[in-house]
């Protein structure tokens, strides 16, 4: 008798969201209050030092700064800073559109640019998914080829496990461990900040609080953001495979946990779980 685990999964999903909300509120709300009070104090000090300004004028200037930031203009910069829409930055932005990362620090401000962005994403997102799917199938094909080299079933299981371990280890080093070292050196971040940016980017969460190549006080090589965009694409393919494997394992665990033997069979009959067909260790849905 197969017991449905869907209600359990729904309850677990909602509980996970509620747990995350409570933890984030506990960790961040007090810090937000402190920063808000500190900001108000700094505004009062500014008005005391510059008596020619009144509160309304200062609020208007702050609003201008916020609008500039929303348009992708760093308030710390000046007119001599490189454009946010040179080819390298535009290439990086195009990558964030089709990969659905959407940092939010830069967006088209013209009507023509916004309309083009809609249609560009409309065709680009499916194209990106097809590309990542094909890349994942290529990685999966290498594992299947490796299995065919092994004749004995016992050895095949060992090689499969070893191949998955190598895949996870190499990908972790290449996409999660080494890149934060580069970002820490180039951007001046701590390793923890670089690692945070790396995972938030490759998981397509993309908060936009950390974005490479946006510091106006630093000089970046022209291809820096373009190379970062290429790294993001291959990192997305790897992390998507990892997430897919994790989701498959979780589903199989729930199905196995809630699978009960049928006790209504005739006396003397034995029951056993049917063996499921062997699935590849890394699966990309078509």
């Amino acid at each position: 008798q197969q017991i449905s685990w869907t209600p359990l999964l729904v309850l677990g999903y909602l509980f996970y969201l509620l747990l995350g909300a409570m933890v984030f509120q506990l960790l961040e709300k007090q810090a937000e209050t402190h920063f808000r009070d500190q900001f108000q104090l700094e505004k009062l000090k500014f008005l005391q030092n510059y008596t020619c300004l009144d509160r309304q004028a200062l609020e208007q200037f702050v609003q201008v700064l916020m609008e500039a930031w929303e348009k992708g203009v760093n308030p710390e910069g000046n007119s001599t800073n490189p454009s946010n829409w040179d080819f390298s930055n535009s290439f990086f932005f195009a990558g964030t559109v089709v990969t659905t990362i959407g940092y939010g620090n830069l967006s088209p401000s013209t009507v023509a640019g916004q309309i083009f962005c809609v249609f560009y994403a409309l065709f680009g997102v499916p194209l990106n998914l097809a590309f990542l799917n094909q890349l994942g199938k290529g990685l999966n094909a290498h594992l299947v080829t490796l299995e065919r080299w092994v004749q004995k079933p016992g050895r095949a299981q060992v090689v499969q496990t070893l191949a998955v371990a190598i895949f996870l280890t190499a990908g972790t080093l290449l996409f999660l461990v080494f890149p934060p070292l580069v970002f820490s050196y180039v951007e001046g971040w701590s390793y923890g900040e670089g690692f945070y940016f790396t995972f938030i980017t490759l998981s397509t969460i993309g908060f936009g609080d950390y974005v490479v190549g946006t510091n106006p006080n630093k000089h970046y090589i022209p291809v820096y953001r373009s190379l970062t965009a290429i790294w993001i694409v291959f990192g997305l393919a790897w992390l998507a495979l990892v997430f897919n494997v994790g989701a498959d394992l979780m589903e199989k665990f729930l199905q196995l946990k809630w699978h009960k033997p049928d006790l209504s069979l005739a006396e003397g009959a034995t029951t056993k779980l049917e063996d499921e067909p062997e699935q590849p260790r890394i699966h990309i849905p078509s």
Side-chain angles (χ1 to χ4, degrees):
Q1 180 181 354
Q2 182 73 33
I3 299 179
S4 175
W5 51 269
T6 302
L8 178 66
L9 182 61
V10 172
L11 292 176
Y13 184 74
L14 293 177
F15 173 77
Y16 196 75
L17 293 178
L18 293 174
L19 177 64
M22 290 187 295
V23 173
F24 284 126
Q25 182 182 27
L26 179 64
L27 295 176
E28 299 296 333
K29 187 175 182 179
Q30 185 176 359
E32 180 199 29
T33 303
H34 172 73
F35 291 141
R36 182 184 291 117
D37 295 341
Q38 187 68 26
F39 179 68
Q40 296 297 331
L41 181 61
E42 291 295 330
K43 286 199 300 184
L44 291 177
K45 290 181 179 179
F46 186 84
L47 290 174
Q48 291 174 357
N49 293 331
Y50 300 92
T51 55
C52 59
L53 289 176
D54 56 11
R55 178 177 291 274
Q56 182 178 2
L58 179 60
E59 294 295 343
Q60 290 177 352
F61 182 68
V62 171
Q63 184 65 30
V64 171
L65 292 179
M66 293 178 60
E67 292 177 357
W69 181 263
E70 291 175 356
K71 297 298 183 181
V73 178
N74 194 321
E76 298 179 359
N78 51 54
S79 59
T80 62
N81 286 333
S83 171
N84 288 325
W85 293 103
D86 58 16
F87 180 79
S88 178
N89 290 334
S90 299
F91 182 84
F92 184 80
F93 174 77
T96 63
V97 171
V98 299
T99 57
T100 68
I101 295 176
Y103 287 117
N105 68 309
L106 185 65
S107 58
S109 58
T110 64
V111 176
Q114 293 169 350
I115 295 177
F116 174 75
C117 185
V118 170
F119 287 97
Y120 184 76
L122 184 63
F123 294 97
V125 172
L127 177 63
N128 177 72
L129 293 177
F131 171 76
L132 295 180
N133 185 39
Q134 193 65 29
L135 186 60
K137 288 181 178 179
L139 295 174
N140 200 25
H142 287 292
L143 294 179
V144 174
T145 303
L146 187 60
E147 293 177 11
R148 292 174 180 174
W149 288 350
V150 183
Q151 300 296 329
K152 296 183 179 181
R155 292 182 180 179
Q157 186 67 29
V158 172
V159 171
Q160 289 175 4
T161 304
L162 182 62
V164 172
I166 294 175
F167 169 79
L168 293 176
T169 302
T172 301
L173 293 175
L174 185 61
F175 297 113
L176 292 179
V177 176
F178 290 152
L181 295 175
V182 178
F183 297 138
S184 299
Y185 175 76
V186 177
E187 302 289 343
W189 300 337
S190 66
Y191 183 83
E193 291 172 331
F195 183 82
Y196 167 79
F197 163 78
T198 298
F199 183 82
I200 293 299
T201 295
L202 297 186
S203 59
T204 71
I205 297 174
F207 290 124
D209 47 354
Y210 290 90
V211 183
V212 297
T214 58
N215 191 339
N217 299 321
K218 290 184 176 295
H219 176 72
Y220 301 99
I221 61 176
V223 296
Y224 172 61
R225 300 192 82 185
S226 299
L227 293 176
T228 303
I230 295 174
W231 162 78
I232 288 175
V233 170
F234 287 94
L236 284 173
W238 174 81
L239 195 59
L241 288 172
V242 174
F243 284 159
N244 196 23
V245 171
D248 288 343
L249 292 176
M250 188 172 296
E251 289 182 1
K252 291 179 180 179
F253 171 77
L254 291 173
Q255 290 175 349
L256 180 63
K257 183 177 179 62
W258 296 97
H259 190 278
K260 303 297 183 182
D262 190 356
L263 301 180
S264 62
L265 297 177
E267 183 178 358
T270 60
T271 60
K272 64 178 180 178
L273 297 177
E274 296 182 358
D275 294 331
E276 297 182 357
E278 185 179 356
Q279 300 291 334
R281 286 294 182 268
I282 297 178
H283 170 68
I284 297 296
S286 57

